[in-house]
């Protein structure tokens, strides 16, 4: 929302502290009191870890979402800007990285059966189809396709083709950078994507 043009179109590193899941809540886990989360900075209390000079550790990011941040708020900051550039014809990548259980799947997919808890991907897909439908005319048509891949332990797997394992990244003058043999499916509506 309040980002400069260069922040909207450049690489941004955004971190999200996910809310506790039901298992963690049932175990009585509490928010980490040693962690101070600000808009773009995380500070860790010096009792836990500190710099060589004895100061609290601080880490800066383009944006930080705390555990109370909703899926809609994440999408507005993260997905909204990506969509604006996508509709102008620019390529976009939203890359989720983190340890197992950190909340990557929750942020990216969420619960697709619950409007409030849908993640970034379902919201972007909905917006793509809405934009295509709104702008279709006698002189403009759209074809929408998708590919799903996973990078796990430095191997790329095609999530639409179980035979597509250990795929390779390639580069060519005509295609640019691409994943060799990654399947691509054309879709006509949101349901076909899922």
């Amino acid at each position: 929302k309040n980002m400069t043009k260069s922040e909207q179109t450049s690489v941004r590193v955004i971190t999200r502290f996910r809310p506790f899941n039901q298992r963690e809540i049932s175990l009585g886990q509490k928010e980490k009191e040693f962690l101070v989360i600000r808009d773009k900075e995380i500070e860790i209390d010096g009792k836990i870890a500190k710099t060589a000079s004895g100061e609290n550790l601080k880490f800066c990011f383009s944006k930080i979402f705390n555990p109370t941040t909703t899926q809609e708020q994440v999408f507005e900051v993260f997905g909204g800007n990506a969509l604006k550039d996508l509709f102008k014809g620019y390529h976009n990548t939203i890359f989720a990285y983190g340890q197992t259980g950190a909340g990557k799947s929750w942020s990216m997919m969420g619960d697709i059966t619950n409007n409030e808890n849908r993640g970034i991907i379902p919201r972007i897909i909905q917006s793509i189809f809405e934009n295509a439908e709104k702008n279709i005319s006698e002189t403009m048509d759209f074809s929408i396709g998708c590919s799903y891949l996973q990078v796990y332990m430095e191997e790329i797997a095609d999530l639409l083709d179980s035979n597509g394992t250990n795929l390779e990244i390639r580069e060519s003058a005509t295609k640019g950078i691409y994943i060799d043999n990654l399947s691509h499916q054309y879709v006509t509506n949101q349901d076909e994507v899922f």
Side-chain angles (χ1 to χ4, degrees), residues 75-149:
F75 174 73
E76 285 176 9
V77 171
F78 209 25
N81 288 324
L83 277 169
K84 288 175 192 169
D85 287 343
L86 178 72
F87 296 141
K88 292 177 186 172
Y90 296 104
H91 290 282
N92 277 276
T93 299
I94 297 176
F95 185 79
Y97 178 82
Q99 69 185 49
T100 300
K104 299 176 299 296
S105 296
W106 174 253
S107 294
M108 297 303 283
M109 289 300 291
D111 178 356
I112 63 173
T113 64
N114 178 318
N115 254 359
E116 187 177 315
N117 290 327
R118 290 177 309 135
I120 293 169
I121 292 172
R123 291 170 191 271
I124 285 177
I125 290 167
Q126 177 183 353
S127 297
I128 288 170
F129 279 99
E130 287 173 354
N131 188 336
E133 189 174 301
K134 182 172 64 176
N135 291 300
I136 201 164
S137 68
E138 288 184 22
T139 58
M140 183 175 290
D141 194 15
F142 292 87
S143 63
I144 300 172
C146 65
S147 299
Y148 282 101
L149 65 90

Side-chain angles (χ1 to χ4, degrees), residues 3 10 12 24-25 32 43 47 54 65 68 72 96 100 107 117 128 132-133 156 160 162-163 177:
M3 294 184 204
S10 64
R12 293 180 292 144
E24 292 163 335
I25 292 169
K32 305 295 186 230
E43 184 174 346
K47 294 176 217 157
F65 295 112
T68 61
E72 177 66 24
T100 300
S107 294
N117 290 327
I128 288 170
E133 189 174 301
I156 301 170
L160 296 177
S162 59
N163 294 320
I177 297 172

Side-chain angles (χ1 to χ4, degrees), residues 147-166:
S147 299
Y148 282 101
L149 65 90
Q150 172 180 285
V151 180
Y152 182 70
M153 296 186 68
E154 299 183 26
E155 286 192 12
I156 301 170
D158 187 333
L159 298 178
L160 296 177
D161 179 3
S162 59
N163 294 320
T165 58
N166 207 16

Side-chain angles (χ1 to χ4, degrees), residues 7-21:
E7 285 178 314
Q8 291 175 2
T9 58
S10 64
V11 173
R12 293 180 292 144
V13 178
I14 299 173
T15 189
R16 182 181 192 189
F17 289 85
R18 67 162 174 76
F20 285 136
N21 60 37

